Amino acid sequence: MPSLEPSPQRIRLFKSEKLERFTLISPRAFAVAWAVLLPAIAWAGWGAVGPLAGLSLVLAGLLVWSLFEYAMHRYLFHWETEVPVFQAFVFLMHGNHHDAPNDPLRSLMPLSASVPIAAIVWGIFALLFGTPGTWLFLGFMVGYVIYDVVHYAAHQWPMQGKLAQAIKRHHMRHHYVDEGGNFSISAIFWDRVFGSKIHSLKR
């Protein structure tokens, strides 16, 4: 279980220790969970379509995720509202991360949030596309795992190489230059497409 020992990098979200644990996840727990869940999703859709159609659906799911990632971060995680209950929701989901961006147990989405959201998305894809929708969902969730690993790396690892450094620099500008831009994390080209790329390093 994640440690609840006091940390200068952590903001406590709940008085209850049981609830607080649900807001934390270690890299090891994240890796083990998704190493099991992703193959399980593939197994659930096995035989629904041929290999080429399955690959096409997975790639389409990756594209859908990249757009979802951008929209979720821009419009939900940075939702400006005067309604207290919604303000609390935004802070719980994302605002606390901006106040303590380098907490290693909050650089990944906890399973208490990601799994229920994933189940809803899977249900929507199944309603729209039937069993083949599982392959679209698999691509969506592969995209999610890539996003979360990239996000963790941007905060916790030095990230070497031209592309890796560009991704880290892109996200750090979102945190430390302008929270109103650079919303993409794993597919940073969307900020250029949608006009939200940060060009100036001045606040």
Side-chain angles (χ1 to χ4, degrees):
M1 294 291 289
S3 172
L4 287 178
E5 291 299 315
S7 167
Q9 296 178 324
R10 181 165 307 137
I11 295 172
R12 192 170 185 95
L13 299 177
F14 294 102
K15 292 181 180 179
S16 165
E17 290 196 1
K18 289 183 179 179
L19 288 176
E20 188 72 1
R21 287 185 186 278
F22 282 111
T23 71
L24 308 172
I25 187 168
S26 69
R28 179 178 295 179
F30 179 90
V32 169
W34 290 105
V36 172
L37 290 172
L38 290 179
I41 296 168
W43 179 81
W46 198 258
V49 295
L52 186 59
L55 177 60
S56 298
L57 287 168
V58 168
L59 292 175
L62 282 167
L63 177 63
V64 172
W65 164 262
S66 71
L67 288 166
F68 179 84
E69 171 194 315
Y70 178 88
M72 174 184 66
H73 193 185
R74 180 171 185 173
Y75 298 109
L76 179 60
F77 285 178
H78 286 274
W79 181 19
E80 295 183 4
T81 174
E82 299 300 320
V83 181
V85 66
F86 293 144
Q87 289 177 339
F89 170 78
V90 171
F91 184 79
L92 177 64
M93 290 295 293
H94 190 66
N96 73 88
H97 172 59
H98 274 271
D99 285 355
N102 295 319
D103 184 345
L105 297 185
R106 289 209 177 109
S107 291
L108 297 162
M109 186 69 72
L111 297 175
S112 58
S114 60
V115 170
I117 293 170
I120 292 170
V121 172
W122 195 350
I124 292 171
F125 286 172
L127 284 174
L128 292 175
F129 305 108
T131 306
T134 296
W135 288 99
L136 186 67
F137 175 66
L138 176 62
F140 186 90
M141 295 312 299
V142 168
Y144 158 71
V145 171
I146 292 171
Y147 146 82
D148 234 357
V149 170
V150 168
H151 182 249
Y152 182 88
H155 283 280
Q156 306 299 333
W157 298 342
M159 297 187 74
Q160 302 298 320
K162 190 173 181 179
L163 177 60
Q165 288 180 349
I167 290 172
K168 183 180 181 76
R169 183 167 58 248
H170 185 87
H171 188 55
M172 292 302 101
R173 286 176 178 176
H174 170 73
H175 273 277
Y176 299 108
V177 176
D178 182 5
E179 293 181 10
N182 283 18
F183 296 105
S184 292
I185 294 170
S186 62
I188 61 177
F189 57 83
W190 285 127
D191 281 293
R192 186 179 295 276
V193 171
F194 294 118
S196 53
K197 180 179 173 60
I198 297 171
H199 294 285
S200 173
L201 296 184
K202 296 180 180 179
R203 281 185 174 271

